[in-house]
mmCIF file of all heavy atoms in Angstrom:
data_model
loop_
_atom_site.group_PDB
_atom_site.id
_atom_site.type_symbol
_atom_site.label_atom_id
_atom_site.label_comp_id
_atom_site.label_asym_id
_atom_site.label_seq_id
_atom_site.Cartn_x
_atom_site.Cartn_y
_atom_site.Cartn_z
ATOM 1 N N ILE A 1193 -297.541 -102.447 288.861
ATOM 2 C CA ILE A 1193 -296.605 -101.401 288.465
ATOM 3 C C ILE A 1193 -295.236 -101.986 288.346
ATOM 4 O O ILE A 1193 -294.767 -102.787 289.225
ATOM 5 C CB ILE A 1193 -296.608 -100.236 289.451
ATOM 6 C CG1 ILE A 1193 -297.960 -99.492 289.390
ATOM 7 C CG2 ILE A 1193 -295.468 -99.280 289.113
ATOM 8 C CD1 ILE A 1193 -298.118 -98.477 290.483
ATOM 9 N N CYS A 1194 -294.523 -101.711 287.248
ATOM 10 C CA CYS A 1194 -293.128 -102.002 287.132
ATOM 11 C C CYS A 1194 -292.224 -100.803 286.926
ATOM 12 O O CYS A 1194 -291.044 -100.957 286.886
ATOM 13 C CB CYS A 1194 -292.909 -103.100 285.981
ATOM 14 S SG CYS A 1194 -293.464 -102.549 284.361
ATOM 15 N N GLN A 1195 -292.842 -99.651 286.806
ATOM 16 C CA GLN A 1195 -292.073 -98.398 286.796
ATOM 17 C C GLN A 1195 -292.907 -97.264 287.319
ATOM 18 O O GLN A 1195 -294.130 -97.105 286.834
ATOM 19 C CB GLN A 1195 -291.529 -98.052 285.344
ATOM 20 C CG GLN A 1195 -290.633 -96.814 285.348
ATOM 21 C CD GLN A 1195 -290.294 -96.366 283.956
ATOM 22 O OE1 GLN A 1195 -290.756 -96.836 282.966
ATOM 23 N NE2 GLN A 1195 -289.276 -95.463 283.802
ATOM 24 N N LEU A 1196 -292.399 -96.476 288.264
ATOM 25 C CA LEU A 1196 -293.119 -95.326 288.840
ATOM 26 C C LEU A 1196 -292.257 -94.128 288.606
ATOM 27 O O LEU A 1196 -291.064 -94.125 289.080
ATOM 28 C CB LEU A 1196 -293.414 -95.613 290.287
ATOM 29 C CG LEU A 1196 -293.924 -94.370 291.104
ATOM 30 C CD1 LEU A 1196 -295.278 -93.930 290.621
ATOM 31 C CD2 LEU A 1196 -293.996 -94.747 292.581
ATOM 32 N N SER A 1197 -292.778 -93.098 287.983
ATOM 33 C CA SER A 1197 -292.033 -91.857 287.768
ATOM 34 C C SER A 1197 -292.823 -90.692 287.992
ATOM 35 O O SER A 1197 -294.090 -90.643 287.659
ATOM 36 C CB SER A 1197 -291.482 -91.812 286.290
ATOM 37 O OG SER A 1197 -290.669 -92.899 285.950
ATOM 38 N N PHE A 1198 -292.261 -89.630 288.550
ATOM 39 C CA PHE A 1198 -292.946 -88.398 288.668
ATOM 40 C C PHE A 1198 -292.012 -87.209 288.929
ATOM 41 O O PHE A 1198 -290.886 -87.447 289.348
ATOM 42 C CB PHE A 1198 -294.038 -88.408 289.875
ATOM 43 C CG PHE A 1198 -293.419 -88.737 291.271
ATOM 44 C CD1 PHE A 1198 -293.141 -87.659 292.050
ATOM 45 C CD2 PHE A 1198 -293.331 -90.017 291.652
ATOM 46 C CE1 PHE A 1198 -292.575 -87.909 293.369
ATOM 47 C CE2 PHE A 1198 -292.883 -90.280 292.988
ATOM 48 C CZ PHE A 1198 -292.507 -89.240 293.839
ATOM 49 N N LEU A 1199 -292.465 -86.109 288.549
ATOM 50 C CA LEU A 1199 -291.744 -84.827 288.768
ATOM 51 C C LEU A 1199 -292.546 -84.063 289.847
ATOM 52 O O LEU A 1199 -293.736 -84.093 289.985
ATOM 53 C CB LEU A 1199 -291.786 -83.985 287.515
ATOM 54 C CG LEU A 1199 -291.307 -84.538 286.191
ATOM 55 C CD1 LEU A 1199 -291.412 -83.535 285.065
ATOM 56 C CD2 LEU A 1199 -289.820 -84.959 286.360
ATOM 57 N N VAL A 1200 -291.754 -83.332 290.677
ATOM 58 C CA VAL A 1200 -292.381 -82.389 291.663
ATOM 59 C C VAL A 1200 -292.079 -81.039 291.193
ATOM 60 O O VAL A 1200 -290.921 -80.589 291.036
ATOM 61 C CB VAL A 1200 -291.781 -82.628 293.077
ATOM 62 C CG1 VAL A 1200 -292.392 -81.736 294.033
ATOM 63 C CG2 VAL A 1200 -292.043 -84.118 293.492
ATOM 64 N N LEU A 1201 -293.137 -80.239 290.854
ATOM 65 C CA LEU A 1201 -292.996 -78.853 290.429
ATOM 66 C C LEU A 1201 -293.404 -77.923 291.545
ATOM 67 O O LEU A 1201 -294.288 -78.227 292.397
ATOM 68 C CB LEU A 1201 -293.869 -78.675 289.196
ATOM 69 C CG LEU A 1201 -293.856 -79.630 288.078
ATOM 70 C CD1 LEU A 1201 -294.853 -79.237 286.967
ATOM 71 C CD2 LEU A 1201 -292.476 -79.886 287.526
ATOM 72 N N ASN A 1202 -292.865 -76.718 291.498
ATOM 73 C CA ASN A 1202 -293.345 -75.641 292.355
ATOM 74 C C ASN A 1202 -294.489 -74.791 291.603
ATOM 75 O O ASN A 1202 -294.870 -75.221 290.508
ATOM 76 C CB ASN A 1202 -292.208 -74.752 292.794
ATOM 77 C CG ASN A 1202 -291.460 -74.014 291.637
ATOM 78 O OD1 ASN A 1202 -292.124 -73.849 290.610
ATOM 79 N ND2 ASN A 1202 -290.244 -73.642 291.842
ATOM 80 N N GLU A 1203 -294.936 -73.793 292.200
ATOM 81 C CA GLU A 1203 -296.060 -73.083 291.621
ATOM 82 C C GLU A 1203 -295.661 -72.339 290.378
ATOM 83 O O GLU A 1203 -296.600 -71.919 289.634
ATOM 84 C CB GLU A 1203 -296.565 -72.071 292.666
ATOM 85 C CG GLU A 1203 -297.293 -72.769 293.882
ATOM 86 C CD GLU A 1203 -297.876 -71.820 294.813
ATOM 87 O OE1 GLU A 1203 -298.292 -70.735 294.373
ATOM 88 O OE2 GLU A 1203 -297.956 -72.197 296.003
ATOM 89 N N GLU A 1204 -294.415 -72.224 290.099
ATOM 90 C CA GLU A 1204 -293.948 -71.594 288.828
ATOM 91 C C GLU A 1204 -293.638 -72.649 287.788
ATOM 92 O O GLU A 1204 -293.079 -72.355 286.751
ATOM 93 C CB GLU A 1204 -292.727 -70.768 289.025
ATOM 94 C CG GLU A 1204 -293.032 -69.428 289.788
ATOM 95 C CD GLU A 1204 -293.346 -69.565 291.249
ATOM 96 O OE1 GLU A 1204 -292.671 -70.396 291.907
ATOM 97 O OE2 GLU A 1204 -294.334 -69.005 291.724
ATOM 98 N N PHE A 1205 -293.988 -73.887 288.070
ATOM 99 C CA PHE A 1205 -293.833 -75.047 287.149
ATOM 100 C C PHE A 1205 -292.302 -75.448 286.959
ATOM 101 O O PHE A 1205 -291.915 -76.124 286.089
ATOM 102 C CB PHE A 1205 -294.432 -74.769 285.780
ATOM 103 C CG PHE A 1205 -295.911 -74.511 285.851
ATOM 104 C CD1 PHE A 1205 -296.501 -73.687 284.869
ATOM 105 C CD2 PHE A 1205 -296.728 -75.069 286.825
ATOM 106 C CE1 PHE A 1205 -297.801 -73.390 284.892
ATOM 107 C CE2 PHE A 1205 -298.075 -74.749 286.800
ATOM 108 C CZ PHE A 1205 -298.651 -73.950 285.809
ATOM 109 N N GLU A 1206 -291.557 -75.006 287.916
ATOM 110 C CA GLU A 1206 -290.075 -75.396 287.950
ATOM 111 C C GLU A 1206 -289.953 -76.742 288.535
ATOM 112 O O GLU A 1206 -290.607 -77.086 289.586
ATOM 113 C CB GLU A 1206 -289.293 -74.339 288.672
ATOM 114 C CG GLU A 1206 -289.267 -72.944 288.066
ATOM 115 C CD GLU A 1206 -288.735 -71.856 289.040
ATOM 116 O OE1 GLU A 1206 -288.763 -72.064 290.232
ATOM 117 O OE2 GLU A 1206 -288.251 -70.888 288.502
ATOM 118 N N ILE A 1207 -289.050 -77.557 287.955
ATOM 119 C CA ILE A 1207 -288.855 -78.876 288.508
ATOM 120 C C ILE A 1207 -287.963 -78.835 289.709
ATOM 121 O O ILE A 1207 -286.849 -78.336 289.687
ATOM 122 C CB ILE A 1207 -288.209 -79.769 287.421
ATOM 123 C CG1 ILE A 1207 -289.170 -79.961 286.238
ATOM 124 C CG2 ILE A 1207 -287.890 -81.190 287.960
ATOM 125 C CD1 ILE A 1207 -288.592 -80.735 285.035
ATOM 126 N N GLU A 1208 -288.491 -79.290 290.847
ATOM 127 C CA GLU A 1208 -287.670 -79.392 292.102
ATOM 128 C C GLU A 1208 -287.203 -80.738 292.368
ATOM 129 O O GLU A 1208 -286.171 -80.925 292.958
ATOM 130 C CB GLU A 1208 -288.577 -78.885 293.270
ATOM 131 C CG GLU A 1208 -288.923 -77.378 293.149
ATOM 132 C CD GLU A 1208 -289.709 -76.962 294.463
ATOM 133 O OE1 GLU A 1208 -290.173 -77.790 295.229
ATOM 134 O OE2 GLU A 1208 -289.765 -75.693 294.613
ATOM 135 N N GLU A 1209 -287.911 -81.772 291.956
ATOM 136 C CA GLU A 1209 -287.505 -83.170 292.232
ATOM 137 C C GLU A 1209 -287.885 -84.014 290.971
ATOM 138 O O GLU A 1209 -288.831 -83.801 290.290
ATOM 139 C CB GLU A 1209 -288.236 -83.723 293.398
ATOM 140 C CG GLU A 1209 -288.006 -83.047 294.622
ATOM 141 C CD GLU A 1209 -288.829 -83.572 295.853
ATOM 142 O OE1 GLU A 1209 -289.054 -84.796 295.824
ATOM 143 O OE2 GLU A 1209 -289.293 -82.762 296.715
ATOM 144 N N VAL A 1210 -287.019 -85.016 290.723
ATOM 145 C CA VAL A 1210 -287.268 -86.063 289.623
ATOM 146 C C VAL A 1210 -287.130 -87.395 290.338
ATOM 147 O O VAL A 1210 -286.194 -87.713 290.936
ATOM 148 C CB VAL A 1210 -286.232 -85.943 288.506
ATOM 149 C CG1 VAL A 1210 -286.582 -86.991 287.455
ATOM 150 C CG2 VAL A 1210 -286.239 -84.561 287.891
ATOM 151 N N HIS A 1211 -288.207 -88.200 290.158
ATOM 152 C CA HIS A 1211 -288.244 -89.498 290.741
ATOM 153 C C HIS A 1211 -288.584 -90.540 289.613
ATOM 154 O O HIS A 1211 -289.550 -90.406 288.925
ATOM 155 C CB HIS A 1211 -289.327 -89.637 291.859
ATOM 156 C CG HIS A 1211 -288.997 -88.713 292.986
ATOM 157 N ND1 HIS A 1211 -288.176 -89.095 294.033
ATOM 158 C CD2 HIS A 1211 -289.419 -87.473 293.279
ATOM 159 C CE1 HIS A 1211 -288.079 -88.086 294.955
ATOM 160 N NE2 HIS A 1211 -288.837 -87.089 294.479
ATOM 161 N N ASP A 1212 -287.739 -91.557 289.589
ATOM 162 C CA ASP A 1212 -287.847 -92.538 288.485
ATOM 163 C C ASP A 1212 -287.410 -93.867 288.996
ATOM 164 O O ASP A 1212 -286.214 -94.019 289.367
ATOM 165 C CB ASP A 1212 -287.138 -92.188 287.225
ATOM 166 C CG ASP A 1212 -287.235 -93.230 286.145
ATOM 167 O OD1 ASP A 1212 -288.407 -93.747 285.958
ATOM 168 O OD2 ASP A 1212 -286.344 -93.468 285.400
ATOM 169 N N ALA A 1213 -288.295 -94.856 289.198
ATOM 170 C CA ALA A 1213 -287.920 -96.079 289.788
ATOM 171 C C ALA A 1213 -288.460 -97.259 289.079
ATOM 172 O O ALA A 1213 -289.703 -97.383 288.800
ATOM 173 C CB ALA A 1213 -288.475 -96.148 291.237
ATOM 174 N N LEU A 1214 -287.621 -98.242 288.669
ATOM 175 C CA LEU A 1214 -288.034 -99.539 288.204
ATOM 176 C C LEU A 1214 -288.276 -100.355 289.408
ATOM 177 O O LEU A 1214 -287.604 -100.253 290.453
ATOM 178 C CB LEU A 1214 -286.976 -100.170 287.335
ATOM 179 C CG LEU A 1214 -286.767 -99.583 285.921
ATOM 180 C CD1 LEU A 1214 -285.568 -100.285 285.262
ATOM 181 C CD2 LEU A 1214 -287.970 -99.744 285.005
ATOM 182 N N CYS A 1215 -289.317 -101.207 289.410
ATOM 183 C CA CYS A 1215 -289.637 -102.024 290.493
ATOM 184 C C CYS A 1215 -290.049 -103.446 290.003
ATOM 185 O O CYS A 1215 -290.515 -103.562 288.905
ATOM 186 C CB CYS A 1215 -290.704 -101.413 291.382
ATOM 187 S SG CYS A 1215 -292.150 -100.748 290.512
ATOM 188 N N LYS A 1216 -289.918 -104.382 290.909
ATOM 189 C CA LYS A 1216 -290.170 -105.770 290.549
ATOM 190 C C LYS A 1216 -291.620 -106.052 290.982
ATOM 191 O O LYS A 1216 -291.896 -106.131 292.213
ATOM 192 C CB LYS A 1216 -289.287 -106.747 291.109
ATOM 193 C CG LYS A 1216 -289.304 -108.146 290.665
ATOM 194 C CD LYS A 1216 -288.161 -108.919 290.930
ATOM 195 C CE LYS A 1216 -288.249 -110.316 290.228
ATOM 196 N NZ LYS A 1216 -287.045 -111.180 290.388
ATOM 197 N N PRO A 1217 -292.531 -106.314 290.137
ATOM 198 C CA PRO A 1217 -293.890 -106.665 290.471
ATOM 199 C C PRO A 1217 -294.101 -108.091 290.882
ATOM 200 O O PRO A 1217 -293.098 -108.912 290.597
ATOM 201 C CB PRO A 1217 -294.634 -106.368 289.114
ATOM 202 C CG PRO A 1217 -293.622 -106.651 288.023
ATOM 203 C CD PRO A 1217 -292.328 -106.291 288.652
ATOM 204 N N PRO A 1218 -295.185 -108.510 291.458
ATOM 205 C CA PRO A 1218 -295.386 -109.861 291.920
ATOM 206 C C PRO A 1218 -295.781 -110.799 290.775
ATOM 207 O O PRO A 1218 -296.185 -111.919 291.148
ATOM 208 C CB PRO A 1218 -296.478 -109.686 293.052
ATOM 209 C CG PRO A 1218 -297.255 -108.515 292.531
ATOM 210 C CD PRO A 1218 -296.283 -107.603 291.914
ATOM 211 N N LEU A 1219 -295.818 -110.404 289.554
ATOM 212 C CA LEU A 1219 -296.162 -111.218 288.502
ATOM 213 C C LEU A 1219 -295.321 -110.848 287.208
ATOM 214 O O LEU A 1219 -294.823 -109.720 287.166
ATOM 215 C CB LEU A 1219 -297.644 -111.216 288.211
ATOM 216 C CG LEU A 1219 -298.281 -109.963 287.455
ATOM 217 C CD1 LEU A 1219 -299.631 -110.308 286.926
ATOM 218 C CD2 LEU A 1219 -298.311 -108.839 288.422
ATOM 219 N N PRO A 1220 -295.198 -111.780 286.281
ATOM 220 C CA PRO A 1220 -294.406 -111.396 285.113
ATOM 221 C C PRO A 1220 -295.031 -110.246 284.211
ATOM 222 O O PRO A 1220 -296.237 -110.043 284.253
ATOM 223 C CB PRO A 1220 -294.373 -112.751 284.294
ATOM 224 C CG PRO A 1220 -294.815 -113.753 285.277
ATOM 225 C CD PRO A 1220 -295.744 -113.154 286.200
ATOM 226 N N ILE A 1221 -294.072 -109.566 283.539
ATOM 227 C CA ILE A 1221 -294.575 -108.539 282.600
ATOM 228 C C ILE A 1221 -295.057 -109.202 281.371
ATOM 229 O O ILE A 1221 -294.338 -110.134 280.841
ATOM 230 C CB ILE A 1221 -293.434 -107.568 282.245
ATOM 231 C CG1 ILE A 1221 -292.899 -106.964 283.529
ATOM 232 C CG2 ILE A 1221 -293.852 -106.489 281.214
ATOM 233 C CD1 ILE A 1221 -291.617 -106.112 283.265
ATOM 234 N N SER A 1222 -296.186 -108.834 280.849
ATOM 235 C CA SER A 1222 -296.768 -109.506 279.672
ATOM 236 C C SER A 1222 -295.930 -109.080 278.466
ATOM 237 O O SER A 1222 -295.364 -107.994 278.438
ATOM 238 C CB SER A 1222 -298.246 -109.168 279.540
ATOM 239 O OG SER A 1222 -298.348 -107.782 279.160
ATOM 240 N N TYR A 1223 -295.898 -109.891 277.444
ATOM 241 C CA TYR A 1223 -295.261 -109.582 276.158
ATOM 242 C C TYR A 1223 -295.863 -108.382 275.476
ATOM 243 O O TYR A 1223 -295.155 -107.528 274.912
ATOM 244 C CB TYR A 1223 -295.227 -110.777 275.225
ATOM 245 C CG TYR A 1223 -294.464 -111.987 275.763
ATOM 246 C CD1 TYR A 1223 -295.013 -113.236 275.866
ATOM 247 C CD2 TYR A 1223 -293.171 -111.769 276.166
ATOM 248 C CE1 TYR A 1223 -294.362 -114.310 276.347
ATOM 249 C CE2 TYR A 1223 -292.443 -112.894 276.628
ATOM 250 C CZ TYR A 1223 -292.980 -114.126 276.797
ATOM 251 O OH TYR A 1223 -292.351 -115.172 277.230
ATOM 252 N N GLU A 1224 -297.211 -108.204 275.666
ATOM 253 C CA GLU A 1224 -297.875 -107.094 275.090
ATOM 254 C C GLU A 1224 -297.379 -105.761 275.722
ATOM 255 O O GLU A 1224 -297.183 -104.774 275.000
ATOM 256 C CB GLU A 1224 -299.316 -107.221 275.260
ATOM 257 C CG GLU A 1224 -300.059 -108.365 274.469
ATOM 258 C CD GLU A 1224 -299.881 -109.754 275.102
ATOM 259 O OE1 GLU A 1224 -299.423 -109.776 276.154
ATOM 260 O OE2 GLU A 1224 -300.314 -110.713 274.445
ATOM 261 N N ALA A 1225 -297.144 -105.875 277.039
ATOM 262 C CA ALA A 1225 -296.752 -104.623 277.758
ATOM 263 C C ALA A 1225 -295.234 -104.360 277.411
ATOM 264 O O ALA A 1225 -294.836 -103.172 277.135
ATOM 265 C CB ALA A 1225 -296.826 -104.812 279.239
ATOM 266 N N MET A 1226 -294.457 -105.445 277.240
ATOM 267 C CA MET A 1226 -293.026 -105.237 276.921
ATOM 268 C C MET A 1226 -292.891 -104.592 275.544
ATOM 269 O O MET A 1226 -291.991 -103.680 275.337
ATOM 270 C CB MET A 1226 -292.315 -106.541 276.914
ATOM 271 C CG MET A 1226 -291.906 -107.176 278.241
ATOM 272 S SD MET A 1226 -290.848 -108.595 277.965
ATOM 273 C CE MET A 1226 -291.592 -109.706 279.106
ATOM 274 N N ALA A 1227 -293.841 -104.909 274.676
ATOM 275 C CA ALA A 1227 -293.765 -104.354 273.274
ATOM 276 C C ALA A 1227 -294.047 -102.914 273.275
ATOM 277 O O ALA A 1227 -293.681 -102.170 272.367
ATOM 278 C CB ALA A 1227 -294.731 -105.043 272.420
ATOM 279 N N ILE A 1228 -294.611 -102.415 274.322
ATOM 280 C CA ILE A 1228 -294.974 -100.966 274.391
ATOM 281 C C ILE A 1228 -293.915 -100.227 275.157
ATOM 282 O O ILE A 1228 -293.311 -99.160 274.748
ATOM 283 C CB ILE A 1228 -296.324 -100.733 275.114
ATOM 284 C CG1 ILE A 1228 -297.441 -101.305 274.248
ATOM 285 C CG2 ILE A 1228 -296.617 -99.269 275.386
ATOM 286 C CD1 ILE A 1228 -298.847 -101.341 274.929
ATOM 287 N N HIS A 1229 -293.540 -100.667 276.403
ATOM 288 C CA HIS A 1229 -292.590 -99.876 277.197
ATOM 289 C C HIS A 1229 -291.212 -100.435 277.246
ATOM 290 O O HIS A 1229 -290.315 -99.798 277.750
ATOM 291 C CB HIS A 1229 -293.154 -99.681 278.668
ATOM 292 C CG HIS A 1229 -293.497 -101.040 279.365
ATOM 293 N ND1 HIS A 1229 -292.623 -102.113 279.502
ATOM 294 C CD2 HIS A 1229 -294.626 -101.316 280.102
ATOM 295 C CE1 HIS A 1229 -293.246 -103.024 280.182
ATOM 296 N NE2 HIS A 1229 -294.432 -102.549 280.567
ATOM 297 N N HIS A 1230 -291.040 -101.581 276.717
ATOM 298 C CA HIS A 1230 -289.660 -102.240 276.565
ATOM 299 C C HIS A 1230 -288.975 -102.471 277.862
ATOM 300 O O HIS A 1230 -287.748 -102.561 277.966
ATOM 301 C CB HIS A 1230 -288.741 -101.320 275.661
ATOM 302 C CG HIS A 1230 -289.386 -101.013 274.356
ATOM 303 N ND1 HIS A 1230 -289.693 -101.937 273.422
ATOM 304 C CD2 HIS A 1230 -289.760 -99.765 273.839
ATOM 305 C CE1 HIS A 1230 -290.246 -101.274 272.319
ATOM 306 N NE2 HIS A 1230 -290.340 -100.012 272.640
ATOM 307 N N ILE A 1231 -289.720 -102.661 278.952
ATOM 308 C CA ILE A 1231 -289.159 -103.040 280.216
ATOM 309 C C ILE A 1231 -289.174 -104.615 280.283
ATOM 310 O O ILE A 1231 -290.253 -105.241 280.231
ATOM 311 C CB ILE A 1231 -289.974 -102.522 281.440
ATOM 312 C CG1 ILE A 1231 -289.971 -100.996 281.312
ATOM 313 C CG2 ILE A 1231 -289.363 -103.043 282.768
ATOM 314 C CD1 ILE A 1231 -290.810 -100.303 282.411
ATOM 315 N N THR A 1232 -288.010 -105.229 280.282
ATOM 316 C CA THR A 1232 -287.885 -106.640 280.232
ATOM 317 C C THR A 1232 -287.643 -107.251 281.640
ATOM 318 O O THR A 1232 -287.262 -106.500 282.579
ATOM 319 C CB THR A 1232 -286.678 -107.101 279.367
ATOM 320 O OG1 THR A 1232 -285.527 -106.544 279.855
ATOM 321 C CG2 THR A 1232 -286.958 -106.561 277.907
#
């Protein structure tokens, strides 16, 4: 994983929390993956 994102909703589907984190993985990002998500 190089990005982890999630929303926390209540039972009415209202957004209570937003979490978005870039993270450094233990291996390089492939060029194929960069071409899709643009994380360099």
Side-chain angles (χ1 to χ4, degrees):
I1193 293 171
C1194 58
Q1195 185 184 12
L1196 171 63
S1197 300
F1198 60 91
L1199 306 176
V1200 181
L1201 314 180
N1202 60 27
E1203 295 183 28
E1204 286 71 45
F1205 303 148
E1206 298 168 331
I1207 298 175
E1208 294 186 343
E1209 301 174 34
V1210 179
H1211 297 275
D1212 180 39
L1214 289 173
C1215 46
K1216 191 161 186 178
L1219 73 165
I1221 302 172
S1222 69
Y1223 296 125
E1224 291 81 4
M1226 282 188 226
I1228 295 172
H1229 54 52
H1230 309 296
I1231 299 174
T1232 61

